[in-house]
Amino acid sequence: MSSQFQGYQINKTEDGQTCELKQLSDDDLMEGDVTFKVEYSTLNYKDGLALTGSSPVVRKFPLTPGIDSCGTVLASESDRFSVGDKVILNGFGVGEGHSGGFAQKARVKSDWLVKLPDELNSRHAMAIGTAGYTSMLCVMALEKHGITPGHGDILVTGASGGVGSVAVALLSKLGYSVVAVTGRMNEESFLKGLGAAEIRDRAEFADKARPLSKELWAGAIDVAGGNTLANVISQIKYGGAIAACGLADSMSLPTTVAPFILRSITLYGIDSVMAPIALREQAWNRLVKDLDMSLLEDLSFDLDFNDLPQAGEDILAGKIRGRAIIKIPE
Ligand code: NDP
């Protein structure tokens, strides 16, 4: 591959930042022991913030955004990877402090890379992306807690979003009865198609929570935080658990210790960004086994590489449904 390649680059200006699709060269690549050809990427909310500059997520300039990417190794000084290996990259501050996937090439630390499982292609991996992989981490936390389908219903908040939709699909394939919470009640058929047994309006979870409410759920996956999570906590059955990964509602958590000390419930915090490689590999291998790949088509859509700046605006405006798959031009 030539030392020249196409990629988006964010530069700092006096009154903010610019983001342009330009001709880059190997000199623009950042430090690392593996260089790979990016074949597919996807779009996350944080990428929207980086592309538009509406929040200072980019910490180093110039920088190529793109948290998620998947491609083929072009050069490696690492024992773990050889030329031709397929790799997945996400987290570790890529797309914020280190150049990422919105370019034809990337160079990163081998410690950040996961080998693409043989059964998965790059397109599927990016349809799953950080959101899907985070869902798997949440499911694994509930399993580790010992929650089985026999314990009762599992609640998933933000069910039509990236993390929530994959969580619904995974849990239902694993035999759990899933209750999906959404603000988009018109998405009922989409959510039932993913395997949700029941749909609840998120308005039911919006008011200030009581310390304890009726015990309803064996476990929950929460992407919302705020009153939503506080209400979920108050409704978890004795000994149950919640895997919390997001703040789509709020960063606050207006709850009390009552459900913890009177019902022995557990709140697991899930972080995908700094998750160790062994856990990541486990999660990606579980996704191969436990996610119905035919559902990925319903969960995703193709986004043209050239349309990324507009898509960055759209994701911040909540106009994007499902996972964007971006094929990086050859
Ligand atoms: P999306 O934007 O795709 O989905 C979020 C969903 O949350 C929305 O689709 C909506 O679902 C729901 N929602 C939106 N606003 C509210 C609200 N005020 N109250 C309750 N629910 C709301 O985002 P992702 O699924 O990709 O990410 C979800 C969250 O998880 C984000 O906060 C993200 O930052 C975080 N995250 C954290 C990771 C980690 O490592 N911890 C990794 C990935 C994501 P609906 O319309 O169905 O109600």
Side-chain angles (χ1 to χ4, degrees):
M1 195 172 180
S2 130
S3 62
Q4 302 282 307
F5 61 96
Q6 288 278 307
Y8 284 88
Q9 192 179 63
I10 298 174
N11 276 284
K12 205 173 173 65
T13 60
E14 263 179 24
D15 41 0
Q17 64 168 58
T18 57
C19 180
E20 289 169 282
L21 180 57
K22 356 189 339 189
Q23 188 79 4
L24 302 175
S25 83
D26 282 357
D27 292 339
D28 292 299
L29 294 171
M30 288 190 173
E31 69 281 8
D33 53 352
V34 172
T35 305
F36 68 98
K37 176 182 171 212
V38 185
E39 288 158 356
Y40 283 93
S41 186
T42 181
L43 181 72
N44 294 285
Y45 190 85
K46 224 187 245 176
D47 294 318
L49 296 175
L51 285 163
T52 58
S54 49
S55 175
V57 290
V58 176
R59 303 189 304 271
K60 203 166 185 180
F61 299 91
L63 179 127
T64 294
I67 290 171
D68 279 290
S69 53
C70 191
T72 304
V73 173
L74 295 168
S76 170
E77 291 161 25
S78 154
D79 295 341
R80 284 182 58 227
F81 297 98
S82 309
V83 171
D85 283 350
K86 296 271 185 192
V87 290
I88 307 175
L89 171 67
N90 66 7
F92 295 113
V94 171
E96 301 173 73
H98 191 103
S99 281
F102 295 163
Q104 290 170 314
K105 255 192 217 184
R107 188 191 291 141
V108 297
K109 286 187 186 167
S110 53
D111 293 349
W112 299 346
L113 293 168
V114 168
K115 262 196 188 144
L116 180 72
D118 289 342
E119 303 83 350
L120 210 59
N121 63 38
S122 313
R123 190 182 152 80
H124 281 160
M126 288 300 97
I128 296 168
T130 294
Y133 140 77
T134 304
S135 309
M136 192 73 241
L137 293 178
C138 292
V139 171
M140 284 160 56
L142 297 184
E143 286 177 338
K144 204 168 162 199
H145 190 77
I147 299 172
T148 64
H151 284 93
D153 292 341
I154 307 292
L155 195 74
V156 176
T157 63
S160 45
V163 175
S165 55
V166 177
V168 171
L170 281 170
L171 288 165
S172 76
K173 176 137 190 266
L174 288 165
Y176 293 91
S177 164
V178 184
V179 176
V181 179
T182 182
R184 298 181 244 183
M185 293 303 280
N186 57 335
E187 295 290 5
E188 177 164 357
S189 63
F190 166 67
L191 291 168
K192 290 217 160 141
L194 296 179
E198 197 189 320
I199 317 294
R200 292 284 183 102
D201 192 327
R202 79 173 183 224
E204 293 175 35
F205 297 80
D207 292 339
K208 187 172 182 304
R210 288 191 287 159
L212 293 170
S213 300
K214 191 170 172 202
E215 294 178 53
L216 295 172
W217 325 111
I221 292 180
D222 179 68
V223 306
N227 279 348
T228 308
L229 177 55
N231 277 291
V232 173
I233 288 173
S234 75
Q235 297 172 5
I236 295 290
K237 286 185 185 175
Y238 192 95
I242 303 131
C245 71
L247 37 66
D249 178 359
S250 164
M251 181 121 99
S252 73
L253 181 50
T255 186
T256 73
V257 295
F260 300 93
I261 62 172
L262 298 176
R263 290 187 180 157
S264 209
I265 70 153
T266 304
L267 178 62
Y268 290 99
I270 304 298
D271 167 56
S272 68
V273 178
M274 299 309 289
I277 286 291
L279 184 64
R280 288 166 185 262
E281 286 173 345
Q282 205 188 336
W284 281 102
N285 285 313
R286 284 287 309 273
L287 281 158
V288 169
K289 207 157 59 79
D290 298 327
L291 184 63
D292 182 347
M293 294 296 154
S294 65
L295 288 177
L296 280 181
E297 291 305 320
D298 288 340
L299 289 172
S300 53
F301 66 97
D302 289 294
L303 175 66
D304 194 293
F305 185 60
N306 293 298
D307 295 336
L308 261 170
Q310 181 57 49
E313 309 265 356
D314 291 346
I315 198 163
L316 299 187
K319 290 188 191 156
I320 289 196
R321 167 184 175 279
R323 306 278 309 149
I325 301 178
I326 303 159
K327 181 164 172 29
I328 308 300
E330 294 281 327

